[in-house]
């Protein structure tokens, strides 16, 4: 929509920011319905302060749109008794748009949760009819796009449908995936996870009430269905955060004073120290002091030359001053601990972005590697087979210079004259022994070993070979 104004990556960042803000707004509205307006501000603070959420909130990540759809769906379901038509409308819209964002598997957990809400409703028949209508509305939203895709590119619709069916049965070890998700949650959902456990203990006689029963059921269903249908990966684990946050909200107000103060002091001391370390590291990168740390920075990213940015340093200094003002002046309240945690996490991320981003980008980007690879390739290579290439490498090469590869295993039947390998072949075989001649290799500055670099081979015309071998 913004291609006339912004380049692709800038518009994508803007979309990620919009979805992040919408998710925070919808989780606040859902918490208002479940726990009341007095306790509801804890919900966006807990979501924004979750380490896993912050980790993905800056990415070009479709799961952020799905997370927004989930939070909007929870808000719709919590209104089903009080404002049934509006609640059903929001749920149907969230379900349909969430499907368009990330497919069917990510939206499946909402269906059992909706059935649970209908079962507990005071007006069960009315709620069931409205929810059925919302499902039809969601199908209409999704079906409009599917119909347009069928009319314009039926081959893409077939590929999309096959991909959806494949994903639903792709995870062959669902119990192991669920176990990994549970082991991930203590740090991924911190501080929501310990506060949710405390809320369950403090409100153990109220488990049957809707404010606790709904997020409990939603969390269990989401955990099982994400583990079964998607797998134990970091991005899909975002869908576990909304029910966990809604469950943790009453734990904030009921937290005992000693524990609340300890959590508050832990957050303030931790992020004050991290902010200090961020500034010291920046001084080492830009000014070469402390010398030992500066030498380590050069060793990690050889060839990097730091340049002072007045804008970046000013924004970072302003953020640090706001943090100092906040920890000195914020009044005592049940929200103080999670507010300081969220603000400290935001400050640390701001300092990394403003002060360290040139150094990080220098070592992480594939821009220079892609440019060098482009010079080694003809203007229009017929086919490039790829082996051991991570998704980030494939996407970077395509984005920077339009270099597109196909999997070496799927290229067996095609006549590919070029083979791009990351590191060494996993089966231990040498491409040179199979009729390929190395014409280029390259990597990022810190990647000195062959196992970390990209290697480009060209088919030796004197010997036959197959990229699939």
């Amino acid at each position: 929509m913004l291609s006339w104004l912004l380049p692709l990556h800038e518009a994508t960042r803007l979309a990620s920011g919009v979805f992040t803000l919408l998710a925070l707004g919808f989780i606040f509205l859902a918490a208002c319905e479940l726990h009341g307006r007095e306790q509801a501000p804890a919900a966006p603070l807990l979501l924004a302060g979750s380490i896993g959420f912050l980790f993905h909130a800056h990415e070009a990540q479709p799961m952020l749109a799905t997370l927004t759809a989930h939070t909007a769906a929870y808000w719709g379901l919590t209104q089903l008794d009080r404002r049934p038509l509006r609640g059903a409308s929001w749920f149907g819209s969230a379900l349909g748009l969430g499907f368009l964002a990330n497919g069917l598997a990510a939206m499946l957990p909402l269906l059992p949760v909706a059935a649970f809400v209908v079962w507990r409703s005071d007006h069960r028949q009315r709620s069931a009819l409205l929810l059925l209508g919302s499902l039809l509305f969601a199908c209409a939203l999704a079906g409009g796009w599917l119909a347009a895709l069928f009319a314009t590119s039926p081959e893409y619709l077939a590929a999309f449908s096959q991909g959806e069916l494949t994903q639903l049965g792709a995870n062959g070890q669902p119990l192991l995936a669920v176990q990994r998700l549970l082991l991930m949650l203590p740090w991924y959902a911190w501080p929501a996870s310990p506060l949710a456990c405390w809320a369950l203990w403090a409100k153990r006689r109220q488990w049957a009430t809707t404010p606790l029963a709904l997020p409990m059921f939603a969390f269990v269903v989401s955990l099982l269905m994400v583990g079964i249908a998607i797998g134990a990966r970091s991005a899909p684990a975002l869908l576990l955060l909304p029910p966990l946050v809604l469950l943790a909200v009453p734990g904030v107000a009921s937290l005992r004073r000693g524990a609340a103060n300890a959590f508050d002091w832990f957050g303030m001391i931790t992020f004050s120290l991290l902010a200090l370390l961020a500034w010291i590291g920046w001084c080492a990168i830009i000014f070469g002091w402390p010398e030992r740390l500066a030498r380590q920075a050069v060793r990690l990213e050889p060839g990097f030359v730091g340049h002072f940015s007045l804008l970046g340093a000013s924004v970072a200094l302003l953020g640090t001053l706001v943090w100092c003002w906040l920890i000195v002046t914020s009044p005592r309240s049940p929200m103080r601990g999670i507010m300081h945690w969220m603000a400290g996490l935001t400050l640390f991320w701001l300092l990394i972005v403003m002060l360290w981003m040139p150094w990080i980008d220098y070592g992480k980007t594939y821009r220079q590697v892609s440019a060098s690879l482009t010079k080694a390739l003809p203007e229009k290579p017929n086919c490039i087979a790829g082996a051991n290439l991570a998704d980030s490498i494939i996407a970077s090469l395509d984005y920077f210079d339009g270099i597109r590869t196909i999997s070496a295993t799927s290229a067996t039947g095609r006549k590919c004259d070029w083979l791009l390998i990351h590191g060494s072949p996993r089966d231990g075989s040498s491409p040179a022994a199979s009729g390929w001649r190395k014409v280029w290799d390259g990597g990022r500055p810190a990647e000195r070993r062959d196992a970390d670099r990209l290697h480009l081979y060209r088919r030796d015309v004197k010997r036959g070979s197959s990229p699939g071998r």
Side-chain angles (χ1 to χ4, degrees), residues 374 377-384 402 417-418:
T374 301
L377 288 167
E379 186 175 349
K380 292 182 179 180
N382 68 327
C383 172
I384 306 174
D417 293 332
W418 303 90

Side-chain angles (χ1 to χ4, degrees), residues 18 39 65 68 80 87 96 132 156 189 198 241 243 245 323 346 401 409 441:
V18 170
Q39 297 185 52
T68 303
L80 207 55
L132 179 61
Y156 282 115
W198 168 251
L241 292 179
V245 165
W323 166 252
T346 304
D401 293 289
T409 55
D441 68 359

Side-chain angles (χ1 to χ4, degrees), residues 77 91 107-118 217-218 221-222 225:
L77 291 174
F91 177 76
M107 304 309 295
L108 283 179
L110 292 174
L111 299 181
V113 177
F116 179 78
V117 170
V118 170
F217 181 81
V221 168
S222 299
M225 299 196 76

Side-chain angles (χ1 to χ4, degrees), residues 116-132:
F116 179 78
V117 170
V118 170
W119 176 67
R120 291 182 58 92
S121 174
D122 295 333
H123 309 281
R124 193 173 297 175
Q125 186 175 5
R126 183 191 68 183
S127 298
L129 289 174
L130 285 171
L131 210 57
L132 179 61

Side-chain angles (χ1 to χ4, degrees), residues 332-368:
R332 293 190 178 276
S333 73
M335 305 290 177
R336 176 178 164 128
I338 58 172
M339 182 181 68
H340 282 163
W341 179 270
M342 186 273 295
L345 200 61
T346 304
L347 169 70
F348 180 66
W349 197 261
L350 175 71
L351 294 181
I352 294 299
V353 170
M354 291 292 107
L355 303 179
W356 286 51
M357 189 53 69
W359 183 81
I360 295 172
D361 186 59
Y362 176 81
K364 296 297 182 183
T365 184
Y366 280 94
R367 184 185 296 273
Q368 299 302 325

Side-chain angles (χ1 to χ4, degrees), residues 219-236:
F219 173 74
V220 173
V221 168
S222 299
L223 176 67
L224 293 176
M225 299 196 76
V226 168
I228 293 171
I230 305 179
R233 301 194 303 273
S234 180

Side-chain angles (χ1 to χ4, degrees), residues 366 369 389 393 420-422 440-442 452-456:
Y366 280 94
V369 179
L389 299 180
I393 298 176
L420 184 64
I421 298 179
H422 183 219
W440 174 89
D441 68 359
D452 299 326
R453 298 169 67 84
L454 290 170
H455 307 277
L456 178 67

Side-chain angles (χ1 to χ4, degrees), residues 283-361:
C283 289
I285 293 172
I286 301 300
F287 303 113
W289 180 90
E291 293 183 6
R292 182 177 297 180
L293 192 59
R295 288 197 298 269
Q296 183 70 6
V298 172
R299 187 184 71 82
L300 291 174
E301 304 295 353
F304 176 77
V305 178
H307 299 282
F308 178 81
S309 169
L310 179 61
L311 177 62
S314 300
V315 174
L317 179 60
L318 178 62
T320 306
L321 293 176
V322 170
W323 166 252
C324 295
W325 171 82
L326 183 66
I327 62 177
V328 171
T329 62
S330 56
R332 293 190 178 276
S333 73
M335 305 290 177
R336 176 178 164 128
I338 58 172
M339 182 181 68
H340 282 163
W341 179 270
M342 186 273 295
L345 200 61
T346 304
L347 169 70
F348 180 66
W349 197 261
L350 175 71
L351 294 181
I352 294 299
V353 170
M354 291 292 107
L355 303 179
W356 286 51
M357 189 53 69
W359 183 81
I360 295 172
D361 186 59

